Amino acid sequence: RDALREELLLSPLPAGGIAATFQFRTRWDAAPVSHYRLFPKALGQLVAARGVRELHLALTQGFWRTRIWGQPPLQAPAGAELWVWFQDTMADVDKAWKELSNILSGIFCASLNFIDSTNSVTPTASFKPLGLANGTDHRLLRYAVLPREVVCTENLTPWKKLLPCGSKAGLAVLLKAERLFHSSYHSQAVHIRPICRDASCRAVSWELRQTLTVVFENFSGTQGKKGELALLRHGLHVPELAPPGLMLTLSPADWSLFKMFSRTITEACPLASQSKIYVDLSVKDKEKELLEVSPSPTSLHEAVVQGEKRTYAVYDLLSPSLFNTSRSLNVQLKMTWPQDSLELSTPVLHAHRYVSGYGLQTGKISTLIYNTHPYRAFPVILLETVPWYLRLYVHTLTIITKGKENKPSYIHYQPAQDRRRPHLLEMLIQLPANSVTKITIQFERALLKWTEYPPDPNHGFYVSSSVLSALVPSVIAMKEVDMEQSPLFTSLFPSSDGSSYFVRLYTEPLLVNLPTPDFSMPYNVICLTCTVVAVCYGSFYNLLTRTLHVEEPSKGGLAKRLANVIRKLRGVPPL
């Protein structure tokens, strides 16, 4: 009653790097569970016991540069992100949310136990269910982000143990921690949701989707082009100074499975019903192929992904002819970039966020949202979660588009309570065609208690990323996706109609300095006080407790008389 599909998508990036996206999908048809075969028992019991209807957990190290790398297949904010939909039969959602985060913290060896009311919110418009849902009562939703969470091998190991074949066979053999964590971007996620078992949707199945995205950049091939790369990265941080069309010159770059992961594939997972590798061949320049793959693929697959028509080379690991010539599979990609230049295509929707101001009293958060579509306008939902120690001035909220005020169609604001809950701001904003929308809001920094500062307070305090959710217009009409026949990277966010596709983007997390006391002064005072107390009290106590008595002088013994005889012979006065 369960089935496993595994998939690897290799996508060359415009800047010369490559993105690898692993997806492992386990479909579970049994409703009440008494036997576990492929579905992990730890997660199955968790879903059944805690009244979970839908669960999404992501652990990310790094930031996806949307403007340079393009639209990601699956994006997550830096740090740890958790959002859960509970069943409507759950009486106390807050208690279940706390218990669930503590259990997940133990399963994935993460600091999810630090999730509490000070960093949890209940969005009203964002994060709608991705699976089947009878209702969308937002009171059953909880969302939290820990932007300072560091992802390491101790988080990857339990994630791999949830796979039916572990890391012994199939695509999971490539998940070598030494290579994954020496990359520019690394994100691992777990998605659990209810889905339709068949087209008629008369029965419901549970879907567990484990995803891992990693980005490798070709640093060796771009050593002589530091100027162009520096321009690109400065353009990411200061969008106003960047030209609209960026030109990049790159030398040829070669990639292979062994170069990326230091391993090759010897066999598919024996428990998998489908195991495939997809290589994106859509990188073209004036109808000229810029990418060559070897060995020859099993087949070709064409699909409309994120509004663009793409062609993929498919390697079916379950095909007997794939391992006839060699015992292992090492897919190689050779990028033949043109000698002159390559123009980077800008994504339709991307955003940038930064904090400005001077001093440690006030500041301003600015968010820039770009709509590069030449003639289509579309709305976007913006979700802002700000900690309570940054006190927002809501009357200073301004939204400017093309020099004019842009009033949001919907706005929801929940003010923060000191040491209880954060600020929550949701807005529905209309983005005109080919425009830049700037959203600013001012804040005041609060002075914390000295026990509330972390061990390194001068490093700063993190503010979680903003979340953008939108239905982006598609130039090419898209067909309805069949979840069982289509690739996994096209079925997580299915399209409701053929004219648009769903996109969820995250901005950069912010690092804000707060007024910090001089923690060295208490240390100096303590040391000085202890020294003074020890010296003064010790001497005074010694005088009070010492017993004085007078001793009568003795005539001395044999030793004294011998000493006097010797002194008399030497002419020295006696003792």
Side-chain angles (χ1 to χ4, degrees):
R1 292 188 178 183
D2 47 8
L4 171 67
R5 292 174 57 187
E6 57 178 9
E7 175 183 297
L8 170 60
L9 171 63
L10 299 177
S11 305
L13 301 178
I18 189 169
T21 303
F22 294 84
Q23 294 206 37
F24 304 89
R25 176 179 177 264
T26 304
R27 196 187 69 179
W28 187 23
D29 294 341
V33 181
S34 57
H35 175 70
Y36 293 88
R37 177 175 172 264
L38 299 180
F39 203 94
K41 185 177 181 180
L43 296 182
Q45 293 180 342
L46 178 65
V47 170
R50 302 300 167 184
V52 175
R53 187 175 67 184
E54 196 167 312
L55 183 147
H56 303 272
L57 171 64
L59 301 173
T60 306
Q61 189 74 22
F63 176 71
W64 182 277
R65 302 184 178 97
T66 306
R67 194 169 180 225
I68 301 178
W69 297 341
Q71 209 74 260
L74 295 170
Q75 189 183 2
E81 180 195 40
L82 175 65
W83 57 285
V84 180
W85 279 91
F86 291 93
Q87 299 284 354
D88 52 4
T89 57
M90 182 60 60
D92 192 350
V93 178
D94 293 329
K95 181 180 178 181
W97 167 251
K98 183 61 178 178
E99 294 176 352
L100 179 65
S101 60
N102 290 333
I103 296 175
L104 292 176
S105 177
I107 294 177
F108 294 99
C109 296
S111 302
L112 300 177
N113 55 308
F114 286 97
I115 294 179
D116 52 14
S117 61
T118 60
N119 48 33
S120 301
V121 294
T122 303
T124 59
S126 304
F127 295 100
K128 294 301 180 183
L130 299 182
L132 295 178
N134 297 329
T136 56
D137 187 0
H138 66 273
R139 292 174 295 180
L140 303 175
L141 170 65
R142 292 296 182 271
Y143 172 77
V145 177
L146 298 176
R148 200 172 181 175
E149 179 71 15
V150 178
V151 185
C152 195
T153 310
E154 61 184 7
N155 308 118
L156 179 64
T157 302
W159 185 90
K160 291 192 295 185
K161 290 183 178 180
L162 297 177
L163 299 174
C165 290
S167 57
K168 305 299 182 182
L171 298 177
V173 175
L174 303 177
L175 301 178
K176 188 177 180 181
E178 182 182 355
R179 299 295 300 168
L180 295 180
F181 292 104
H182 281 79
S183 58
S184 301
Y185 176 82
H186 171 269
S187 177
Q188 61 186 58
V190 173
H191 306 277
I192 301 177
R193 61 175 180 173
I195 60 173
C196 292
R197 188 173 303 180
D198 49 18
S200 60
C201 201
R202 295 180 179 178
V204 179
S205 301
W206 284 96
E207 180 193 68
L208 167 64
R209 187 172 298 211
Q210 296 179 244
T211 64
L212 189 145
T213 304
V214 59
V215 173
F216 298 97
E217 290 188 291
N218 187 20
F219 296 105
S220 60
T222 57
Q223 290 295 326
K225 307 299 178 183
K226 292 183 179 179
E228 287 86 348
L229 292 180
L231 176 61
L232 285 174
R233 294 184 179 179
H234 281 79
L236 174 67
H237 295 292
V238 188
E240 298 89 349
L241 303 179
L246 293 176
M247 308 296 291
L248 180 65
T249 305
L250 289 175
S251 57
D254 297 337
W255 292 99
S256 65
L257 293 181
F258 186 80
K259 183 178 180 180
M260 290 184 288
F261 306 105
S262 298
R263 291 176 180 176
T264 57
I265 299 176
T266 56
E267 61 175 346
C269 177
L271 301 176
S273 60
Q274 186 181 97
S275 181
K276 293 182 179 181
I277 298 178
Y278 292 85
V279 181
D280 191 355
L281 305 177
S282 306
V283 182
K284 294 184 179 181
D285 180 60
K286 298 179 181 179
E287 301 301 327
K288 179 183 178 182
E289 297 290 342
L290 301 178
L291 183 64
E292 299 177 0
V293 295
S294 62
S296 300
T298 308
S299 60
L300 295 177
H301 176 76
E302 293 185 355
V304 179
V305 181
Q306 294 179 344
E308 297 181 359
K309 187 177 182 180
R310 296 183 177 273
T311 304
Y312 299 94
V314 183
Y315 295 88
D316 190 357
L317 301 184
L318 298 179
S319 176
S321 60
L322 191 61
F323 295 99
N324 285 341
T325 57
S326 61
R327 295 183 178 180
S328 63
L329 176 63
N330 184 24
V331 180
Q332 299 180 358
L333 296 82
K334 184 177 181 181
M335 304 179 187
T336 56
W337 301 110
Q339 296 297 328
D340 48 3
S341 61
L342 177 68
E343 184 174 357
L344 300 182
S345 58
T346 306
V348 177
L349 177 64
H350 61 279
H352 171 63
R353 185 167 173 244
Y354 59 93
V355 61
S356 59
Y358 59 90
L360 294 177
Q361 182 178 2
T362 60
K364 182 169 65 174
I365 298 177
S366 302
T367 305
L368 301 176
I369 305 177
Y370 293 81
N371 176 16
T372 61
H373 202 285
Y375 55 87
R376 287 287 299 274
F378 57 89
V380 62
I381 298 177
L382 174 65
L383 171 65
E384 288 271 7
T385 305
V386 183
W388 63 267
Y389 45 78
L390 298 182
R391 295 165 179 168
L392 297 180
Y393 294 150
V394 186
H395 69 279
T396 63
L397 176 65
T398 58
I399 305 175
I400 303 299
T401 304
K402 294 184 178 181
K404 299 180 180 179
E405 183 181 2
N406 187 349
K407 293 184 179 181
S409 306
Y410 169 80
I411 185 170
H412 169 71
Y413 174 67
Q414 177 180 286
Q417 293 182 0
D418 288 356
R419 298 170 182 86
R420 290 188 178 182
R421 70 183 186 190
H423 299 271
L424 173 62
L425 178 62
E426 283 185 289
M427 296 182 292
L428 179 62
I429 306 172
Q430 187 74 16
L431 303 180
N434 197 13
S435 64
V436 180
T437 302
K438 185 175 183 179
I439 305 168
T440 60
I441 187 171
Q442 298 180 11
F443 64 89
E444 180 184 4
R445 296 172 171 89
L447 184 62
L448 304 180
K449 298 179 181 179
W450 70 276
T451 56
E452 295 175 341
Y453 286 92
D456 52 347
N458 292 304
H459 177 75
F461 292 77
Y462 284 92
V463 180
S464 59
S465 305
S466 299
V467 187
L468 298 175
S469 305
L471 287 175
V472 180
S474 175
V475 180
I476 304 175
M478 297 182 296
K479 299 180 181 179
E480 187 176 356
V481 176
D482 186 0
M483 297 185 63
E484 299 301 327
Q485 302 297 330
S486 61
L488 295 179
F489 58 86
T490 62
S491 59
L492 184 61
F493 299 115
S495 176
S496 58
D497 55 359
S499 61
S500 60
Y501 58 95
F502 180 77
V503 171
R504 178 176 292 148
L505 295 179
Y506 297 87
T507 62
E508 304 92 335
L510 300 179
L511 187 62
V512 181
N513 290 324
L514 293 184
T516 305
D518 186 4
F519 287 102
S520 64
M521 284 304 299
Y523 174 76
N524 297 336
V525 171
I526 291 173
C527 292
L528 180 60
T529 304
C530 293
T531 304
V532 172
V533 169
V535 173
C536 298
Y537 177 76
S539 302
F540 189 66
Y541 181 80
N542 190 18
L543 292 175
L544 292 178
T545 59
R546 179 179 295 179
T547 303
L548 302 177
H549 60 276
V550 180
E551 293 184 359
E552 295 293 336
S554 59
K555 296 181 179 180
L558 179 62
K560 185 176 181 181
R561 290 197 295 269
L562 290 176
N564 288 333
V565 172
I566 296 174
R567 293 173 68 87
K568 184 177 180 180
L569 295 176
R570 296 176 57 188
V572 180
L575 297 175

